[in-house]
Amino acid sequence: MTETTTVDRTRLGINDRYPFPAYPNGWFRVAYSKDLAKGDVKALKYFGTDLVVFRDEEGTAHVTDAFCGHLGAHLGHGGKVEGCAIRCPFHAWKWDGKTGSLLDVPYAKRLPRADIKAWPTVELNGIVMVWHHAEDKAPTFEIPLVPETEKDAGYTEPSEHYWKIRSRWLDMNENAVDNVHFKYIHGTPVIPESFPEVRDHILEVKNITKMTTPRGPIEAVLVTIDHGPGFQIVRIDGAIKTVMINTATPIDEHYSDVSFTYAVEDKGGNVGAARIKDLLSQFENDLPVWENKAYFKKPRLCDGDGKFGLYRKWMKQFFSCEW
Ligand code: FES
Ligand SMILES: [Fe+2]
């Protein structure tokens, strides 16, 4: 770990609201697969950085820094896919999507040595994800497949929802261990019993709770599994099985792009749609708290509170500096 004494804290996004850097190390969603056809080129802004995502002619998605390494044109505005590369609209320099290296300058006798940053990119669960690391280190873990979202898994077609939220995921996601808030924010009839467990980059929390249904309260088990700071799977087993893929990508030091993908056990009728509507309204109950709360480095807790200490120790592994 690098000491913060040598690092510009403002550049890291350590500000009055948050004592931790804005951009943790991990895998982050930047697009949904269905929104990126072969040959598509899109401008993005995440991690306070201009980026471009494109799908090459073989079907592979690539993410690179947006600005052309020649004179800085934005490749997401007029760039064209050619094979596995992108050609700049300004003077037609061509950049490899996987490595970022310069492949062609149509009017040069000799190619200069130049490249742009190509971000490690994977695509699974219908999501295009990039690896962000503050020191540009290679990925240290992988994102798993979520089989319930595959075709013929017996679940409804995944439904996707987005929010731009004035918060950082590692603050919002303390919810995972905050069993008390389920009662007061989400209206569970009881405070769930919560069993968190850390395995390297994974945080798994099992909550045993009661949920209100039209037929009265029933027991439900809710398991959240975080794979690093940007990707979470939630499975709810109760009257109807539900799986959610939750992602959060920092846009800048103030805002995050949060997406939830829901799939519900397909029991026919509109039970699934009703369940998703209920989960969405529950999520929206969290928003006013998240967008306006302060982050206390040393909160005052009581014996009935969740395992915040365990959560905060786990999340520190995703930063390249002490804080
Ligand atoms: S700025 Fe891209 S080729 Fe010149
Ligand atoms: Fe919540």
Side-chain angles (χ1 to χ4, degrees):
M1 286 211 173
T2 319
E3 292 296 328
T4 35
T5 45
T6 58
V7 177
D8 177 345
R9 294 170 67 83
T10 311
R11 193 174 58 78
L12 293 175
I14 292 173
N15 58 24
D16 289 347
R17 189 172 183 205
Y18 291 112
F20 55 87
Y23 311 127
N25 302 328
W27 287 104
F28 297 90
R29 184 192 80 88
V30 291
Y32 277 112
S33 303
K34 67 173 178 41
D35 298 333
L36 195 69
K38 270 187 192 171
D40 275 358
V41 176
K42 292 192 172 163
L44 304 174
K45 187 149 192 169
Y46 289 115
F47 315 101
T49 304
D50 287 282
L51 303 169
V52 62
V53 60
F54 66 92
R55 191 179 296 288
D56 70 23
E57 288 173 2
E58 291 175 6
T60 305
H62 302 285
V63 177
T64 68
D65 275 358
F67 300 123
C68 176
H70 179 215
L71 279 162
H74 195 305
L75 297 169
H77 294 277
K80 292 265 181 315
V81 170
E82 255 187 53
C84 297
I86 186 162
R87 197 176 285 280
C88 178
F90 204 5
H91 315 92
W93 289 31
K94 185 164 96 168
W95 306 93
D96 185 79
K98 196 167 168 55
T99 63
S101 53
L102 179 62
L103 297 178
D104 181 42
V105 177
Y107 58 90
K109 292 196 184 65
R110 252 182 306 130
L111 279 192
R113 285 167 73 92
D115 56 19
I116 55 174
K117 180 177 168 182
W119 292 56
T121 306
V122 296
E123 186 168 11
L124 75 174
N125 303 316
I127 300 173
V128 179
M129 302 189 81
V130 297
W131 172 257
H132 169 266
H133 196 286
E135 300 157 276
D136 280 334
K137 291 192 176 158
T140 52
F141 62 90
E142 289 179 1
I143 294 296
L145 266 177
V146 180
E148 294 95 325
T149 59
E150 302 275 288
K151 272 203 165 47
D152 305 325
Y155 280 68
T156 55
E157 175 102 356
S159 93
E160 291 144 5
H161 307 265
Y162 317 75
W163 297 262
K164 179 178 174 182
I165 300 178
R166 186 182 158 271
S167 185
R168 294 188 185 172
W169 180 244
L170 286 169
D171 190 19
M172 300 184 250
N173 195 32
E174 277 197 338
N175 258 2
V177 291
D178 183 1
N179 50 333
V180 175
H181 98 288
F182 283 107
K183 175 165 176 177
Y184 298 102
I185 286 283
H186 301 302
T188 55
V190 294
I191 293 176
E193 280 186 277
S194 184
F195 304 94
E197 189 189 324
V198 167
R199 299 188 299 278
D200 301 321
H201 66 280
I202 294 174
L203 170 71
E204 180 164 336
V205 186
K206 182 174 178 181
N207 285 290
I208 300 172
T209 187
K210 286 205 173 2
M211 286 181 130
T212 311
T213 71
R215 281 172 280 130
I218 58 149
E219 182 148 299
V221 178
L222 183 146
V223 180
T224 63
I225 311 172
D226 289 287
H227 293 260
F231 183 88
Q232 180 188 61
I233 305 165
V234 182
R235 292 190 170 89
I236 306 173
D237 198 351
I240 178 164
K241 285 191 177 135
T242 306
V243 68
M244 295 149 66
I245 298 176
N246 304 339
T247 71
T249 310
I251 296 170
D252 56 27
E253 66 175 87
H254 305 292
Y255 286 92
S256 301
D257 170 327
V258 172
S259 83
F260 279 21
T261 302
Y262 299 86
V264 176
E265 201 181 1
D266 196 356
K267 291 189 162 178
N270 62 358
V271 185
R275 162 40 82 85
I276 290 169
K277 195 166 162 224
D278 176 48
L279 289 169
L280 281 171
S281 82
Q282 288 200 27
F283 176 75
E284 281 169 4
N285 291 342
D286 284 309
L287 293 182
V289 175
W290 290 340
E291 293 211 305
N292 298 295
K293 74 184 287 297
Y295 185 89
F296 290 162
K297 223 170 161 177
K298 292 198 174 120
R300 184 158 293 169
L301 301 173
C302 76
D303 56 5
D305 275 321
K307 302 253 185 345
F308 291 92
L310 177 134
Y311 178 83
R312 290 183 176 200
K313 190 164 170 229
W314 169 78
M315 84 185 232
K316 283 202 168 183
Q317 68 181 288
F318 305 111
F319 294 102
S320 287
C321 64
E322 302 285 349
W323 51 273

